[in-house]
Structures are given as C-alpha cells and as structure tokens.
Amino acid sequence: LPEDRFIVVESQMGLVPMVVWAHYILGLTVLIKNSPDGDVAVGRMGKPQVIIKWSSTFFSTSSLSNLDHMRWFSQPTIYLLDADMNVLLETKPNPIVRTEIEGQEFHRLKGYGTTFLRRLFNSQTLVADDDPIFTETASFAVSFSILLSRAMRRLPHPVKAIRRRNDDIDVPKQCYLGTEHWRLFDSSDLLFRGIKLDKRKISEYLEEISGKKTDDMAFPTSVRNYLQKLDQNTSESTRLTFLGDIKRLASWILSFAQVVDIESCADLPLRMAPKWTFGNRVQHWNGLDQIDIPSDVWFEQIVTMMRRDVNIGSGFVGSRELFLTCHQGWSLFYSCVGDHDPGEINCELLSIKRGVPTNTRTGERKYQITDAPSIEENLRTPKILDKGDSYLPRCVTKVYKRTEHYSSRSEAFWLSIRFDIEEVDFHRQTLSQRAGQDQRYSLYASHSQFHEGLWGVVKTIPCHHRNEDCGPLPLDQDAMTVTGLTWANGDGDAVDTRICICLVKGDARARWLVVNGIFSNGPGA
C-alpha cells in the first residue's frame, strides 16, 4: 500500500517535475523539507509519501542573476523505505544519462534595452521609473554607438594580407562604417521603447566624448550620482563595470541598426542575456583606435541573441557557409539573398522576416540554409581584349541562365546556384566564331560566398553617364580589359596589370561572379 512505502530524495534537483509527477499525476503527498520557505507540503494532510530534502549546498553561483555560472555540487540519491524506515532500495542516477533542464528568459526586441536598464539600476537600490537616469543613460549609449560606428571599418581583400603582416594600411573611406544616424535612432527608439530619448543630450554627449579615451569620458550627472551612492569612492572597478554596460548597449544599438525595416521586428524574441556584447573587439576598445570588423559581425551577434544553442565556430551556426538562420518563426539572412544587382546591395545590412524555410513540394522545414560544398570548376583563363588609349564598354561574359539547386540535409538546406555563361565579343568576332560551343560553360556559387566577396570590395563613386549605349571611353596606360570573371593566371601580362576591367556591362548576375572572382583570387587580387 502507498502508506507502507516512502521515497526520500536527498536534494532538490528535478524538484518541479518530481512534484508534478508524484502529486498531480500519482496523487501522492509531497513534503519539501528545509526549503528557504520552511517545510512545504503539497497534497493532503497526513504522512507524506515523497520527501524531498532541500540542500543548501546544492549549487553555488558567482552571480545570482546569471544562471550560466551555475555549478552543480551534488547529485540526488533516492531511497525507497518501508513503514519502519528501513531502506529497501537505493538508487543514484547515472551521470552519463542525466539531463539538466534549464529555463531561458526571452524578451521582445521592443523595449529590450529598457528592461535591461530598469533591472540594472534597481538591482542594488530602488530607482523611480521617471528618474532622469534612464533617459540620460539611454541617450549616452546612443552617443557612444555613433562614436563606435565611426571607428569600425571593413578591410578590402588586398588590405587583409597587408594587415596580417602588421604593416601600415590605407583603408578607403568607403570602407568605414559610419552607420547613418537615422538607422541608429530607429534602432534606439525600438530598444528603449518607453524611455524618451533626448536628441539634444545625444549631441552634447557625442561632442563631449569625441576624441577622448574611454578612461577619460565623463558619465551623465545622474549616473555619477548613482555610482557614488553605491560606492562612495566610485572605484575604478565600479566605473569599468558601468562602462561595460554602456558598450553592451551600444553593441545592441549598432547591431539592430543594420536591420532593414527594424520597426517590423518589434516582436522578435531575444534571449534576455545581459552579458552579451561584441566581445573583445568592443569591450577592450579605448575610444580612439580603429576596429577591423569581419564580414559576419552583425549576423553572428544577432544570432547569438536569438538562439541559446549557438556555438560560434563549430557546426552550422557561426560557420562561413551559413547565410540564413531561423528561430521561433523568425528568419535572419544577408542582404544579398535573392537575385539582385551587387551595385545596389549594402553588404553591411541584414534582413529579419517572419517565416521558416520550407520545401513547398514536401512541406519539409529546416532552420538553416547554407552554401552547398564547392563544386570543382575549370575557370576560363582571362584573355586581354583592349589595351591602349580607349575601350568600348560592353558585356563579353554574359550569364544567360541562373538556376537555384536546393538539397536537404539533417541540419539544414543546402543551396548551390548554377550560372550558365556564354563568352562572345560581338564587337570583335565574326558570326561563325560566335556559334562555337566551347564559348559556353557553367560556374557554381551561393549567397554566403557573395556576401564575403562584396564585404571586401571597394565600390567606386557612382558615375553620372546614361545607361544606354555609349561610345569608346579613355583607358589608362596601366589598365586593360579582359574576358572572363577573374584575372588570376591571366593571358600575357594581365595578372601584372594594376587595373583589370572585366567586361560585364548591364549584366547584374555576371557582376556577382566578378565579385566572387575577386574574393576567390585571394589576397593578391
């Protein structure tokens, strides 16, 4: 009979499912002994059939607000006893098969920063919701994000090789981030929804901190008073901790400023992980040095906030081949996804949309899309066409067909895009020469390759001539035009020419392959 048997559990591991199973499913009375609230009985009055002993040494945590630091010290031992309290059975769980279940708090993007600040300033004292410290801190974080964006830059492909040798580098101004202020304000307005941002204060703070090291930057008055209240001497550690929080807020502002139509993402669920930031690149920034950012910097950081199971650098998430990931019904992907002109794409922007990648024929869903493994290709050797005083802008290497091939794997969909190409120079060749079948071939690529390629490309200043056919244009002495989509191992002295022009006028798909060719050529491109 139930009253002739008792179960004793030596610690509170698995407390909730044990109570649900024992009481709400089996109808037994459960007693939790020595809990922080004393002895707690769940069920009918009388002798309990299940006794759970609360252990004060069950876990320790370096921060009560951060469960990621939890370290388990004991595993529960379970005893089955008879009415005379004799042990009939003793069992210990196998640590190999033990499963730990932890909860994860999520918060909508709208008001994410507001909740962070409310908790930050009320963790050790009470601060009224209308206290100016919230407006001043949020405004200061916006100013810091503007300053931070000015220090960030992309490195062109040739410069990366120089950077690896620790030589001095000259980065074109087009590669400096300098995120537009309206994007930063839209991002901030959504993150700090419920806190009124003061643009006048933002301008004042920005002027005060520009050109200064972070150690010399003065916090807003309300913040200084708050820190002094917590620490009479406002020690360096207290100041550095708060500076880390400002950098964290600026990281969030910058990341979501890169998202197109950010207001439509107000309901995007994000992990409430206050310790998240850009890492060493930003946390150790001194306020003056330039920050060289990799091509996946924004993508990686937003994925980290969306998903808990992220392991950057291994598997699919965080790999260079990944260009779309989905979580809780929201998909994040690069701006180059689709069939666009690379000249119209801002490689620093991302898109976040509702929806899950789905095979329309089978209904199969996956939560990631990556580039398929590379297909070995026989790239055509480029040949010199024009070298002299002038050349005629035209399209010699034309993509006449583009086909997307998807395949399904256990973790993701794979995508490979086939480009069918024809090389014909109508300006020079006869009709019989144009008909040759050897002028046609195929290349394969995909979106993460295109994103990586475009990230290291320096766009020229837009020209103002009309798009219709034009006559010959001047050609510098150290420039030439070539066939094909690359110039590595080129014909004659093509590989040694300072300026090499691939003739793909008016063909957006061919231009993507040129971008990919620049990236594939490596550091010497």
Side-chain angles (χ1 to χ4, degrees):
L1 296 177
E3 55 267 24
D4 296 327
R5 296 287 185 269
F6 301 89
I7 291 177
V8 177
V9 184
E10 287 291 329
S11 76
Q12 64 268 34
M13 177 178 281
L15 172 68
V16 174
M18 280 194 293
V19 171
V20 171
W21 179 258
H23 174 65
Y24 291 98
I25 296 179
L26 300 181
L28 304 175
T29 300
V30 180
L31 176 66
I32 305 170
K33 291 184 64 67
N34 302 321
S35 79
D37 296 319
D39 292 351
V40 178
V42 182
R44 300 186 300 271
M45 298 296 292
K47 288 186 177 182
Q49 286 89 39
V50 179
I51 301 173
I52 302 173
K53 294 183 179 180
W54 190 281
S55 172
S56 59
T57 60
F58 176 56
F59 65 83
S60 76
T61 172
S62 60
S63 171
L64 292 177
S65 63
N66 189 359
L67 291 177
D68 290 337
H69 292 286
M70 187 175 288
R71 295 292 182 267
W72 305 100
F73 278 108
S74 61
Q75 299 175 25
T77 301
I78 302 175
Y79 302 97
L80 178 65
L81 303 101
D82 60 17
D84 297 324
M85 302 301 286
N86 297 313
V87 177
L88 302 177
L89 181 67
E90 176 184 347
T91 177
K92 294 182 179 180
N94 187 334
I96 298 177
V97 299
R98 186 189 71 189
T99 301
E100 295 177 4
I101 301 176
E102 296 180 20
Q104 174 65 62
E105 180 185 6
F106 280 80
H107 192 290
R108 291 190 301 172
L109 174 57
K110 182 172 69 175
Y112 187 92
T114 301
T115 299
F116 172 79
L117 288 180
R118 301 282 190 216
R119 295 181 180 182
L120 175 68
F121 291 119
N122 284 280
S123 61
Q124 300 182 55
T125 184
L126 294 179
V127 179
D129 287 351
D130 59 352
D131 193 290
I133 195 171
F134 296 108
T135 294
E136 292 186 5
T137 302
S139 299
F140 187 81
V142 177
S143 303
F144 197 92
S145 72
I146 295 174
L147 191 65
L148 188 60
S149 74
R150 294 174 180 174
M152 291 182 165
R153 63 186 182 185
R154 296 181 288 114
L155 291 185
H157 294 305
V159 173
K160 291 180 182 178
I162 302 174
R163 189 63 166 172
R164 282 192 288 267
R165 296 195 301 265
N166 295 320
D167 296 337
D168 292 334
I169 58 174
D170 183 16
V171 177
K173 63 180 182 180
Q174 297 99 308
C175 293
Y176 284 85
L177 184 61
T179 303
E180 297 99 321
H181 287 192
W182 68 267
R183 292 190 183 278
L184 292 169
F185 288 140
D186 284 355
S187 173
S188 304
D189 181 66
L190 191 58
L191 280 164
F192 297 118
R193 190 63 55 87
I195 296 177
K196 185 176 181 180
L197 296 173
D198 190 332
K199 290 189 176 181
R200 181 183 58 82
K201 283 186 175 295
I202 292 173
S203 298
E204 291 176 357
Y205 293 148
L206 182 60
E207 185 176 351
E208 291 175 5
I209 65 178
S210 294
K212 293 183 179 179
K213 289 188 174 182
T214 52
D215 293 342
D216 300 326
M217 294 179 183
F219 295 144
T221 303
S222 59
V223 173
R224 295 199 300 270
N225 293 339
Y226 172 83
L227 295 179
Q228 189 172 13
K229 183 178 179 181
L230 295 182
D231 182 354
Q232 292 296 325
N233 299 320
T234 313
S235 64
E236 185 64 18
S237 62
T238 301
R239 189 183 186 284
L240 287 176
T241 299
F242 187 78
L243 180 61
D245 292 325
I246 292 296
K247 290 180 175 180
R248 192 165 293 116
L249 290 168
S251 296
W252 300 343
I253 294 170
L254 266 174
S255 292
F256 290 102
Q258 316 307 319
V259 177
V260 177
D261 190 18
I262 187 61
E263 187 64 36
S264 67
C265 305
D267 293 329
L268 175 70
L270 301 172
R271 292 194 304 132
M272 201 63 201
K275 297 300 179 184
W276 174 85
T277 185
F278 272 148
N280 292 337
R281 287 188 296 270
V282 170
Q283 286 291 46
H284 295 161
W285 184 55
N286 64 4
L288 300 177
D289 293 342
Q290 300 299 325
I291 302 176
D292 300 332
I293 53 177
S295 62
D296 60 351
V297 59
W298 312 118
F299 189 90
E300 178 181 303
Q301 303 312 319
I302 294 180
V303 170
T304 304
M305 294 190 76
M306 289 175 62
R307 300 180 56 166
R308 187 180 180 199
D309 57 338
V310 172
N311 185 9
I312 299 300
S314 66
F316 286 92
V317 177
S319 68
R320 290 288 183 179
E321 292 76 27
L322 180 68
F323 63 82
L324 183 149
T325 187
C326 175
H327 189 61
Q328 297 194 31
W330 291 82
S331 292
L332 167 71
F333 52 94
Y334 288 128
S335 58
C336 65
V337 172
D339 190 10
H340 309 291
D341 189 322
E344 299 173 356
I345 295 295
N346 183 344
C347 62
E348 293 161 4
L349 297 183
L350 300 170
S351 292
I352 301 177
K353 303 289 184 183
R354 289 184 183 269
V356 181
T358 306
N359 185 324
T360 55
R361 289 181 297 177
T362 65
E364 181 184 18
R365 292 186 173 190
K366 298 292 182 184
Y367 296 97
Q368 297 176 135
I369 307 180
T370 73
D371 288 0
S374 300
I375 297 176
E376 204 169 317
E377 302 163 347
N378 295 318
L379 289 175
R380 294 298 180 91
T381 300
K383 297 184 181 299
I384 299 172
L385 291 179
D386 302 299
K387 184 178 182 182
D389 297 331
S390 65
Y391 79 104
L392 181 68
R394 59 199 186 278
C395 185
V396 171
T397 307
K398 182 177 181 59
V399 175
Y400 64 88
K401 187 177 180 181
R402 176 187 183 274
T403 310
E404 294 187 354
H405 297 280
Y406 285 92
S407 61
S408 178
R409 294 297 184 269
S410 61
E411 298 288 340
F413 289 126
W414 283 1
L415 171 62
S416 180
I417 307 175
R418 171 174 167 164
F419 295 86
D420 294 322
I421 301 160
E422 181 179 33
E423 286 189 355
V424 177
D425 188 1
F426 288 91
H427 179 60
R428 294 182 178 274
Q429 292 178 313
T430 65
L431 287 173
S432 61
Q433 289 174 313
R434 297 173 199 166
Q437 292 301 311
D438 62 337
Q439 294 169 323
R440 292 192 171 190
Y441 59 98
S442 299
L443 294 177
Y444 295 84
S446 194
H447 295 307
S448 67
Q449 288 176 263
F450 290 151
H451 172 75
E452 183 73 21
L454 196 59
W455 187 265
V457 167
V458 181
K459 293 184 180 180
T460 59
I461 298 173
C463 53
H464 301 288
H465 64 268
R466 293 174 295 180
N467 289 328
E468 59 261 25
D469 293 339
C470 59
L473 297 178
L475 192 64
D476 291 342
Q477 290 184 349
D478 53 354
M480 63 177 60
T481 67
V482 297
T483 62
L485 304 161
T486 180
W487 55 89
N489 303 317
D491 176 44
D493 55 354
V495 73
D496 299 321
T497 303
R498 189 176 71 88
I499 300 176
C500 191
I501 302 172
C502 296
L503 295 171
V504 290
K505 180 179 183 291
D507 193 327
R509 294 171 174 176
R511 280 199 287 273
W512 271 119
L513 294 175
V514 173
V515 167
N516 194 49
I518 294 172
F519 172 55
S520 301
N521 279 338

